[in-house]
Amino acid sequence: MLKEPPSIIYRWLGDRIFSTVVVALGISIMLLAGAMAVVLYGEGRLSFQQFGYFQFVTGTTWDPAVRLTFGALPFLFGTIVTSALALVLSFFPAIAVAIFSAEYAPRWLSGIIDNLVQLIAAIPSVVIGIWGIFVLAPWLRETVYMPVFEWADMNHPALLPLLGNPMGYGMATATVVLAIMIVPYTTALTKDAIRSVPVEQREACRALGATRWEVIRMAVIPYARGGIMAGAILSLGRAIGETMAVAMLIGNKNTLPFSILGAGATMPSVIVNEFREAVESLHLSSLMAIGFTLFIIALVVNLLAAYLTRKYSITGGQVV
Amino acid sequence: MRTMLQRNIRDRIMEVLLVVSTILVLLPLVIIIVHVIVNGIGALNWDFFTQELGSPSRAMQGRPTGLVHTILGTMVVDFMALMIAVPIGMGAGIMLSEYPDHKLNPPLRILNDTLNGMPAILKGLLAFVLIVKPMGTFSGLAGGVALSFVMLPIVARTTESSLMSIPWSIREAGLAIGLPRWRVVLSTVMPAAKTGLVTGILIAFARAAGEAAPLLFTSFGNNYLPNHWLGMILGPADTLPQRLYSLAISPYSHWHTMGWAAAIVLLAFVMFTFITARLATRQKSG
């Protein structure tokens, strides 16, 4: 069937319209990312003006009810401590899974393990939260926290006030849950990094008579170190922004915590808990200012992760 | 110098440690799923899917309670999020893959990745300022916009990578027979990349559908069915993740049980989407 050749208008105008639309959509995403910075800063400005940025970030008093004084340090502290500890707790198990799956497991098993680890990342945060409230926190209280308190009570009663309140909801519980949640990210990127190690490197090591573990220790891990670092940083970024499970489990106490077992709060958790009830404009603005601070920290961590993944040419951890 | 035996023993020990670690990491997945099912299955009955929640005293008065308004609200909000995120995200992905020399591509890639890495709660704050404040009310629309911010960067990125996987020669063939560029992209490249595109949308959807944080101060939640379906778009709408949170932290034990049941529904929904996406990817690469 012969048709009229498409007219020049159809070709030229069609291409113009198509490329304009596509580029406009691309630009709208760029504007959105920019809008996030501008909006959070703009909404938090009232608070910054009132307290000064440095004073806001280092202030330890958060009192929305009586004095209307807002300092973000307890939340900054809570975020950094829980995220860092979660990374420490999950780092070696996460890498172990990647090594086992990439180097030891037969192909069929490796595929199953990878999919199951990815499924952990697919569990909604609130589902982990409800499990944490009714299963994990009571269990941790009975089997871990209470024995610690009983031991302190018997031997060093002076330690008791330092341990806080063993109710089970606190920074330690939030840390455990965060550790569970960030494993898939570290594992995925570590496996990427291990895969990027040339086969010849392993074969050379093997040819010298190394055992399987020696190959991993001497030929694989040193080579993959940069990619593993990138995975750790990216996981840290996920932990910093994690909101619901933490808000449900950390106990929500707006002062600087002095015990890892006691209640605390993080930047996302205080926003979730107070935003709907914030009536004073200074309170609302201070919560937005915390949002802006969280934005800056997440930005730095993400740019660092992006730099590392690009430098070590791995795919960037496409999880879920 | 260690003997061969010592080195082999060390090798075996490490293997055992790796297996133990793997089991340890996968254990929470199994435990969580089992607990959710065991605790929630009893509350999953006909009422759960056909009645509204109402006040806490409703169940004590013996009247049936359920989450029908939540399930409908989730559909409305998630659907709106898809309608916003898919065209914009795909457009950006097409820009990145089909106009590779565009000078705005490097900053777009960086900003898109940055947006992807931003905590979802900040996307909720952004939607609050952009939609809730001007409208003067919490709304399902604001929730949809907030979730679309979660989906957008994922859709853009997966669109780019699945279009990139289509060989350049296919585009050249289209251009050679005289098709204009836009026809080549829409009728040749995109259909060829269909599986990848759909997978990307499913992954973005699975990610956003489980988010509660951005919804708490955008769609807000509601214990009752609105009188009119528009009420879910222009007024507060209930969604599963945010309702699950409210039920879990409430002081009523019968609401806790409903929370577990909501967790079953949400988990099943998200896992089903996720596993479908995974199977589609495997089919493509296998």
Side-chain angles (χ1 to χ4, degrees):
Chain A
M1 190 174 70
L2 275 173
K3 273 196 205 162
E4 286 282 305
S7 71
I8 193 74
I9 294 292
Y10 169 86
R11 299 172 53 88
W12 180 82
L13 196 65
D15 275 351
R16 292 307 291 172
I17 293 173
F18 185 71
S19 66
T20 309
V21 167
V22 162
V23 170
L25 295 175
I27 289 175
S28 70
I29 288 190
M30 296 165 68
L31 287 179
L32 195 63
M36 188 175 256
V38 172
V39 159
L40 290 174
Y41 180 78
E43 298 286 316
R45 213 173 46 199
L46 187 63
S47 180
F48 295 143
Q49 279 167 351
Q50 183 87 6
F51 306 109
Y53 191 68
F54 183 75
Q55 216 187 323
F56 175 75
V57 178
T58 54
T60 54
T61 311
W62 181 271
D63 182 359
V66 187
R67 282 169 291 171
L68 283 183
T69 305
F70 298 98
L73 192 64
F75 315 113
L76 203 61
F77 179 83
T79 301
I80 292 170
V81 169
T82 50
S83 311
L85 286 179
L87 183 60
V88 170
L89 200 61
S90 67
F91 187 65
F92 290 105
I95 290 181
V97 175
I99 292 176
F100 180 70
S101 162
E103 302 281 334
Y104 282 82
R107 223 191 137 128
W108 62 271
L109 182 61
S110 165
I112 292 175
I113 291 173
D114 287 359
N115 282 320
L116 288 177
V117 171
Q118 298 293 302
L119 270 186
I120 298 176
I123 305 177
S125 185
V126 274
V127 172
I128 296 192
I130 192 174
W131 174 74
I133 287 181
F134 296 114
V135 180
L136 180 70
W139 182 80
L140 282 175
R141 180 179 56 218
E142 297 308 321
T143 55
V144 183
Y145 302 165
M146 284 313 285
V148 171
F149 276 87
E150 276 155 19
W151 171 85
D153 193 32
M154 302 278 268
N155 302 302
H156 302 280
L159 281 177
L160 275 180
L162 286 179
L163 288 175
N165 186 351
M167 54 185 178
Y169 305 101
M171 307 245 294
T173 311
T175 300
V176 171
V177 153
L178 277 177
I180 294 173
M181 295 175 84
I182 63 176
V183 160
Y185 299 94
T186 320
T187 302
L189 270 180
T190 301
K191 207 173 169 196
D192 263 11
I194 290 176
R195 283 230 182 90
S196 73
V197 178
V199 182
E200 292 83 355
Q201 188 129 335
R202 293 191 183 83
E203 284 171 350
C205 201
R206 209 69 222 235
L208 293 173
T211 63
R212 251 188 320 184
W213 172 247
E214 283 164 346
V215 170
I216 291 163
R217 190 168 59 85
M218 295 190 290
V220 176
I221 289 180
Y223 198 94
R225 197 179 284 149
I228 296 175
M229 278 286 295
I233 302 282
L234 193 89
S235 307
L236 187 69
R238 297 289 171 188
I240 285 170
E242 184 46 56
T243 306
M244 298 315 295
V246 173
M248 291 160 92
L249 293 171
I250 200 166
N252 303 311
K253 183 162 164 265
N254 294 349
T255 49
L256 269 181
F258 41 76
S259 161
I260 185 76
L261 299 186
T266 64
M267 292 189 279
S269 78
V270 72
I271 298 175
V272 157
N273 283 314
E274 296 190 1
F275 197 87
R276 280 150 65 118
E277 278 90 38
V279 273
E280 292 285 341
S281 56
L282 188 61
H283 186 194
L284 203 61
S285 174
S286 297
L287 289 171
M288 287 289 192
I290 286 185
F292 180 70
T293 313
L294 180 62
F295 174 85
I296 296 294
I297 294 176
L299 184 68
V300 171
V301 171
N302 272 292
L303 289 180
L304 187 62
Y307 167 74
L308 287 172
T309 45
R310 250 157 235 173
K311 185 175 171 193
Y312 297 102
S313 60
I314 43 182
T315 53
Q318 278 283 24
V319 180
V320 189
Chain B
M1 184 80 191
R2 290 197 200 91
T3 65
M4 199 61 215
L5 182 67
Q6 281 175 319
R7 290 168 57 208
N8 278 332
I9 289 173
R10 177 177 286 242
D11 189 53
R12 298 302 298 181
I13 291 174
M14 287 317 296
E15 185 171 356
V16 170
L17 278 178
L18 292 176
V19 172
V20 170
S21 294
T22 305
I23 292 171
L24 202 68
V25 162
L26 294 178
L27 206 57
L29 177 73
V30 179
I31 293 178
I32 291 170
I33 292 176
V34 168
H35 275 133
V36 166
I37 293 174
V38 168
N39 287 308
I41 198 82
L44 269 190
N45 46 32
W46 182 246
D47 286 344
F48 184 88
F49 293 101
T50 54
Q51 300 290 325
E52 53 185 13
L53 182 64
S55 66
S57 59
R58 194 176 156 116
M60 295 169 199
Q61 293 160 354
R63 287 190 293 159
T65 58
L67 295 181
V68 62
H69 63 299
T70 311
I71 291 162
L72 288 176
T74 310
M75 287 179 189
V76 169
V77 169
D78 286 357
F79 182 71
M80 277 192 292
L82 274 179
M83 293 318 285
I84 300 166
V86 170
I88 300 180
M90 279 201 164
I94 292 172
M95 173 180 171
L96 287 170
S97 79
E98 303 304 310
Y99 300 90
D101 299 327
H102 201 287
K103 57 182 183 299
L104 285 178
N105 278 353
L108 172 57
R109 232 174 241 122
I110 294 171
L111 287 175
N112 190 60
D113 282 358
T114 307
L115 193 62
N116 194 19
M118 280 303 144
I121 187 168
L122 297 183
K123 293 166 184 171
L125 290 180
L126 184 60
F128 173 84
V129 175
L130 295 181
I131 311 287
V132 177
K133 265 181 114 178
M135 274 178 70
T137 172
F138 297 105
S139 62
L141 174 68
V145 169
L147 287 191
S148 78
F149 293 166
V150 178
M151 294 180 187
L152 261 177
I154 307 174
V155 174
R157 201 174 176 169
T158 49
T159 301
E160 184 201 359
S161 63
S162 49
L163 292 184
M164 291 280 224
S165 71
I166 304 302
W168 206 254
S169 54
I170 287 188
R171 297 173 180 84
E172 283 165 354
L175 293 170
I177 60 165
L179 283 179
R181 191 154 184 162
W182 65 276
R183 290 288 300 185
V184 171
V185 175
L186 290 182
S187 351
T188 316
V189 182
M190 304 245 322
K194 200 173 69 193
T195 317
L197 296 177
V198 172
T199 308
I201 293 169
L202 285 179
I203 286 172
F205 188 66
R207 194 54 156 322
E211 288 285 358
L215 296 175
L216 288 170
F217 29 83
T218 51
S219 66
F220 197 78
N222 193 342
N223 287 13
Y224 300 91
L225 266 176
N227 297 324
H228 191 267
W229 64 273
L230 263 178
M232 282 188 175
I233 298 176
L234 301 175
D238 219 41
T239 52
L240 264 174
Q242 153 269 319
R243 173 54 53 194
L244 166 47
Y245 169 68
S246 314
L247 291 172
I249 63 168
S250 77
Y252 315 107
S253 64
H254 64 287
W255 273 18
H256 295 165
T257 313
M258 284 191 86
W260 283 108
I264 293 187
V265 177
L266 182 62
L267 195 61
F269 182 55
V270 169
M271 292 261 162
F272 175 76
T273 312
F274 178 81
I275 291 169
T276 310
R278 280 250 144 195
L279 289 178
T281 323
R282 202 173 59 180
Q283 220 167 29
K284 191 184 64 171
S285 60

